[in-house]
Amino acid sequence: MPHNLLKEYNQLLDILAYSPDQRLQSLKRIFDRDIANNQNFCFRAKRINPTPADGEDTMERLFRHLTTVITDKSTNKREFDMYRSIRLHWIKYHVDESKKDNMLVFSVQEKDGARTYIYDIDEQYVIVLEPMRRKDEYYLLTAYYLEGKDRARDKMMKKYDRRIITS
């Protein structure tokens, strides 16, 4: 299990052969190292926080959003998502802007408010941030692998076309 802590971008985490408990332990170690216990978890010098939720541990909620996907929209039921989970260690790499080529970073005004997207074109990977009202911090909403190749890529490029242009 500790070998996953050595994985780097763009390697994938080895969790397929693990039991659910082992998988959770391994992913939690990555999450704690890169996000929960990282005092320097920032994007462009702005602190990144989990989205608050009434009566719920915000870090646990964020971990769930980064490793599961909604399978029933009517009940908001979530289930483990292999595609998100095996890329969990990519979040910090992208937030730190370690990759320079074939990256799009842009903001879009959505119906729920502004969203900032960090989009890795080569790996079809997206991180979604929401600026906090204070403007000097972000909420980390989610991060995921774009499935469905052309359709998902087209959807992301349509968002990019609607980006907020600042001068």
Side-chain angles (χ1 to χ4, degrees):
M1 254 186 294
H3 72 280
N4 276 330
L5 290 169
L6 303 174
K7 296 283 186 169
E8 297 176 355
Y9 172 85
N10 64 354
Q11 298 172 320
L12 301 175
L13 298 177
D14 294 322
I15 58 175
L16 189 59
Y18 291 165
S19 71
D21 286 342
Q22 290 172 323
R23 183 175 61 211
L24 183 67
Q25 263 186 348
S26 183
L27 292 171
K28 197 72 164 117
R29 285 180 182 165
I30 301 288
F31 177 80
D32 287 345
R33 178 198 66 194
D34 291 352
I35 299 170
N37 299 332
N38 182 356
Q39 296 301 317
N40 297 317
F41 189 54
C42 299
F43 177 66
R44 296 186 174 174
K46 295 181 181 180
R47 177 87 182 129
I48 300 174
N49 300 299
T51 307
D54 290 336
E56 195 173 356
D57 180 317
T58 56
M59 280 298 172
E60 190 57 39
R61 182 173 188 255
L62 178 58
F63 178 72
R64 193 170 55 252
H65 276 255
L66 298 174
T67 57
T68 65
V69 65
I70 292 177
T71 55
D72 184 346
K73 289 186 181 189
S74 65
T75 63
N76 279 335
K77 182 180 182 207
R78 301 186 74 91
E79 291 183 7
F80 175 74
D81 183 13
M82 181 66 71
Y83 292 111
R84 289 179 186 222
S85 296
I86 60 178
R87 294 168 176 83
L88 183 63
H89 62 301
W90 291 9
I91 295 171
K92 183 178 180 319
Y93 180 84
H94 285 93
V95 163
D96 289 347
E97 295 189 277
S98 298
K99 183 176 182 204
K100 306 294 182 205
D101 297 329
N102 291 324
M103 294 293 300
L104 295 177
V105 178
F106 60 96
S107 295
V108 175
Q109 186 63 43
E110 305 281 9
K111 64 180 179 181
D112 296 333
R115 300 286 189 266
T116 298
Y117 293 86
I118 303 170
Y119 176 41
D120 182 336
I121 296 168
D122 296 327
E123 296 293 338
Q124 297 295 300
Y125 187 69
V126 179
I127 298 169
V128 184
L129 304 170
E130 178 181 355
M132 291 176 68
R133 290 182 192 171
R134 295 182 0 195
K135 301 288 184 199
D136 60 343
E137 295 184 26
Y138 285 104
Y139 290 127
L140 173 55
L141 299 181
T142 194
Y144 56 93
Y145 172 70
L146 290 176
E147 297 180 71
K149 298 275 183 201
D150 294 333
R151 197 168 141 232
R153 192 175 333 181
D154 290 346
K155 187 175 178 182
M156 188 56 56
M157 293 315 294
K158 284 181 183 175
K159 284 184 186 294
Y160 181 73
D161 290 342
R162 294 186 353 223
R163 71 190 177 277
I164 299 168
I165 309 290
T166 56
S167 47

